[in-house]
Amino acid sequence: MMFMKPVLHELPYLENWRWLSRRIRCALEPDEPRLIDHYLAEGRYLVCCTETSPWTVALTALRLLLDTANDRMLPWHWRCLCLDQAWRPLLDLRNLDRCEHNQRWQPYAMQLANCVLLPSITPEELMQGLEDE
């Protein structure tokens, strides 16, 4: 017997997930760490209740968190939080790969392991850069 996922109309859920990703990527609420939890939970909901690929959701979440962590224009504490949480979608990728006996997740593990955060750009440095132009 085949297990069938309940299929909901994806668009509203996908749009909410994308809006959450923009809030993370742009550090619109850098003092709200639960935003990342909410984003990851929405991704799990998409996988569970729509036809959205679990690999796509996990990889998108990992890339979002790593890109945000490496963005020197964002506040340091937000970048550190994003880096600290990047293991969660990486674990999802690893678990998905185990089901298929692949090792596609390993380059992403190396990317996370080798991620070195440079200091955030201070407002003074930003202003000095604008004055130099």
Side-chain angles (χ1 to χ4, degrees), residues 32-84:
E32 184 49 75
R34 294 174 296 184
L35 186 60
I36 295 171
D37 291 330
H38 188 68
Y39 170 75
L40 296 174
E42 285 291 314
R44 288 190 301 275
Y45 184 79
L46 273 173
V47 168
C48 172
C49 299
T50 71
E51 293 298 315
T52 307
S53 158
W55 182 267
T56 299
V57 167
L59 184 55
T60 301
L62 177 63
R63 287 181 174 158
L64 170 76
L65 293 172
L66 288 177
D67 288 348
T68 304
N70 284 306
D71 188 342
R72 297 184 63 206
M73 296 298 290
L74 300 178
W76 177 255
H77 71 283
W78 185 247
R79 296 172 58 212
C80 289
L81 182 64
C82 288
L83 184 61
D84 287 345

Side-chain angles (χ1 to χ4, degrees), residues 86-124:
W87 67 270
R88 295 167 67 187
L90 179 63
L91 181 62
D92 292 340
L93 291 175
R94 187 189 75 174
N95 290 338
L96 288 166
D97 250 6
R98 281 190 177 164
C99 297
E100 299 174 15
H101 305 291
N102 291 322
Q103 298 298 312
R104 295 182 301 167
W105 67 277
Q106 287 185 336
Y108 303 109
M110 290 301 297
Q111 186 179 358
L112 178 58
N114 291 317
C115 184
V116 175
L117 296 187
L118 297 173
S120 292
I121 294 174
T122 65
E124 293 79 23

